[in-house]
Amino acid sequence: MDHAYLEQAFDDQELFEDKTWRISPEPFRLSQRQADEIEKIGTACLAFYGALENLYLKSRQGKNLLRNRRLEARWVADYLERGKPTELVEHATDKELKGQLPRVIRPDLLWTDDGFVLTEMDSVPGGIGLTAYLNQLYSEGFAETLIGSNTSIRDAFYQALKAGCPDKHNPFIAIVVSEEAATYRPEMDWLAEQYQREGHRVFVFHPEDLMPLGESMCVDIDGNPQEVDLIYRFWELFDLPNVSVAPFLLKMRREHLIKVTPPMRTFQEEKLNLALFHHHLLEDYWKEALPKKDYKLLKKIIPQSWIVDPVDLPPGAVLDGPPVGGKAINRWEQLAEASQKERNLILKLSGFHEEAWGARSVVLGSDCSREEWEESVKQAVEIASESLYILQEYRKPSRLRHPVYNDSGEIYEMQGRVRLCPYYFVTDEEFAQAKLTGILATFCPADKKIIHGMKDAALIPCHVPSESDQAAD
């Protein structure tokens, strides 16, 4: 793809507010085997969300988790409800919301020498519009090989939203973007414009634009109140206090007066869910609750993770956590004494906190000083009564090469590491299938240990070249 063409396209259409990135002449290349595995990962993630809901609801009710023997885990609900407002907990566990899962699923996959590693699962992801726009741009030269066509992401996102209003032929859909998430508003504006051109009633609003009127939630359209059929919630639930109509949304959703997706269920936004998957006391539950192929795949790609929960233990007891000095620990503070090799761990907030999204709270122990690591561990312990951190094994992404334009518009082979963000959309009413419609690659310089959107990274779609093209290379 020509540099001038791509540069002009991004000048003409802002996708992220005040964000820039490097441009590449071609999509990021995947093998057919990798693409097939990523498709299977979407199926496994949807199954995981369903099993997680069952685990949470049964744990808080003190119900048995297994078919043939007794297993209760009230502590699971304690973890998932820690620091959450009572009204949100009550809302999330309302029986009318049972079975309501995220309709957009986006895991973060690192490409390592041992295959893909799933580090997070996002139910309120940014990048939907950006990835759709990139697929549209690159379809000019790579239409036959792109993962997702130039319209598939747009179409799938709309169908996922419309599935929340099965009784409406052309529902009025409000994509509501909070101030905290304003970076992503331009891409949502672009998506809404595409839908409006196709005759769909999809518009982007700020939370302050919502108006409760009687039994309806309305917005102003050309001076007239318009009733909203469905809200696409583009804000994390920790941000709910800054959404002035939140009390009305909770009440209206409870009384079936408004539909909101993703559902306002805090347990679906916790990174500690991946630590629950690896918890030794829950191993038999996950084996029973998940299809065998999904369990096996998730076991392979989710790195070992632990919940940093400081508790007083008897002298002979040890924590479920990584060793320090080759020995088990009985206090999380002992992590501060770990060697640099033993600190090959990621420490990050689990959720429901303003620092829990993006890479804000992420610390790589082996990439910081002992003093910085000790301070991070101290912070995790001190705030655990309100907000939990998790520890995760760090698996180093592979060193790869991909063509990128420099500032002068010349192509060079950049060495870097990649994070893949596949977008799966659930377009049926029963939450039966997650459909892969596009993948966003974030290709960062090789010296960056933590991969995230940054000005030195290239943001590009993914494709699978034909067998003949791969053989030629």
Side-chain angles (χ1 to χ4, degrees), residues 51-61 65 71-82 84 267 270 272-273 275-277 279 281-282 285-286 307 309 388:
L52 172 69
E53 178 194 47
N54 183 63
L55 171 64
Y56 171 52
L57 295 179
K58 283 190 172 182
S59 72
R60 79 185 310 269
Q61 295 163 3
L65 297 175
L71 175 63
E72 294 180 13
R74 296 174 187 267
W75 51 271
V76 170
D78 291 340
Y79 279 154
L80 291 171
E81 293 176 2
R82 188 171 300 188
K84 312 299 190 301
F267 67 92
E270 292 284 344
L272 68 81
N273 295 330
L276 292 176
F277 178 77
H279 202 288
L281 293 179
L282 298 175
Y285 169 75
W286 294 112
I307 300 167
D309 179 26
L388 289 163

Side-chain angles (χ1 to χ4, degrees), residues 189-204:
D189 284 332
W190 178 79
L191 279 170
E193 288 171 7
Q194 309 310 303
Y195 295 139
Q196 291 162 29
R197 290 174 184 173
E198 296 165 358
H200 303 311
R201 299 192 299 162
V202 181
F203 299 85
V204 179

Side-chain angles (χ1 to χ4, degrees), residues 203-310:
F203 299 85
V204 179
F205 299 98
H206 188 278
E208 297 300 320
D209 296 328
L210 298 176
M211 303 178 295
L213 293 177
E215 295 187 343
S216 301
M217 186 65 74
C218 298
V219 291
D220 183 279
I221 298 292
D222 297 328
N224 299 306
Q226 168 66 54
E227 182 176 352
V228 176
D229 295 310
L230 178 138
I231 290 174
Y232 180 72
R233 167 179 71 86
F234 202 80
W235 69 79
E236 302 276 354
L237 288 172
F238 76 83
D239 200 21
L240 208 59
N242 296 318
V243 178
S244 60
V245 294
F248 297 97
L249 284 179
L250 292 170
K251 180 177 183 293
M252 286 180 160
R253 181 62 189 86
R254 188 166 59 248
E255 297 176 0
H256 310 289
L257 300 176
I258 188 72
K259 294 179 172 65
V260 180
T261 191
M264 292 185 287
R265 313 182 81 185
T266 53
F267 67 92
Q268 293 173 343
E269 296 184 9
E270 292 284 344
K271 297 178 180 68
L272 68 81
N273 295 330
L274 299 186
L276 292 176
F277 178 77
H278 274 294
H279 202 288
H280 62 282
L281 293 179
L282 298 175
E283 182 178 6
D284 290 342
Y285 169 75
W286 294 112
K287 285 182 176 178
E288 275 194 10
L290 292 168
K292 187 175 181 179
K293 65 181 186 305
D294 294 335
Y295 174 80
K296 184 178 179 181
L297 178 57
L298 293 174
K299 194 74 173 177
K300 182 182 81 167
I301 64 176
I302 297 176
Q304 181 64 54
S305 307
W306 303 271
I307 300 167
V308 181
D309 179 26

Side-chain angles (χ1 to χ4, degrees), residues 4-31:
Y5 168 76
L6 291 171
E7 195 171 54
Q8 185 62 53
F10 290 121
D11 285 343
D12 291 344
Q13 178 61 56
E14 182 184 28
L15 277 305
F16 286 164
E17 188 175 86
D18 299 326
K19 296 287 184 181
T20 59
W21 57 87
R22 292 203 173 278
I23 301 172
S24 172
E26 62 185 64
F28 202 85
R29 176 176 299 199
L30 301 178
S31 69

Side-chain angles (χ1 to χ4, degrees), residues 383-433:
I383 72 168
S385 61
E386 291 295 324
S387 298
L388 289 163
Y389 273 75
I390 69 164
L391 271 175
Q392 197 172 71
E393 280 184 348
Y394 175 68
R395 299 187 188 174
K396 190 174 183 178
S398 301
R399 196 180 185 101
L400 305 169
R401 304 179 76 91
H402 187 79
V404 173
Y405 286 111
N406 64 20
D407 295 337
S408 302
E410 300 168 333
I411 297 174
Y412 73 102
E413 283 286 315
M414 175 173 153
Q415 292 191 41
R417 308 181 195 278
V418 71
R419 179 190 68 187
L420 302 178
C421 291
Y423 289 85
Y424 308 94
F425 297 89
V426 181
T427 59
D428 60 285
E429 294 178 41
E430 296 77 21
F431 295 90
Q433 182 180 10

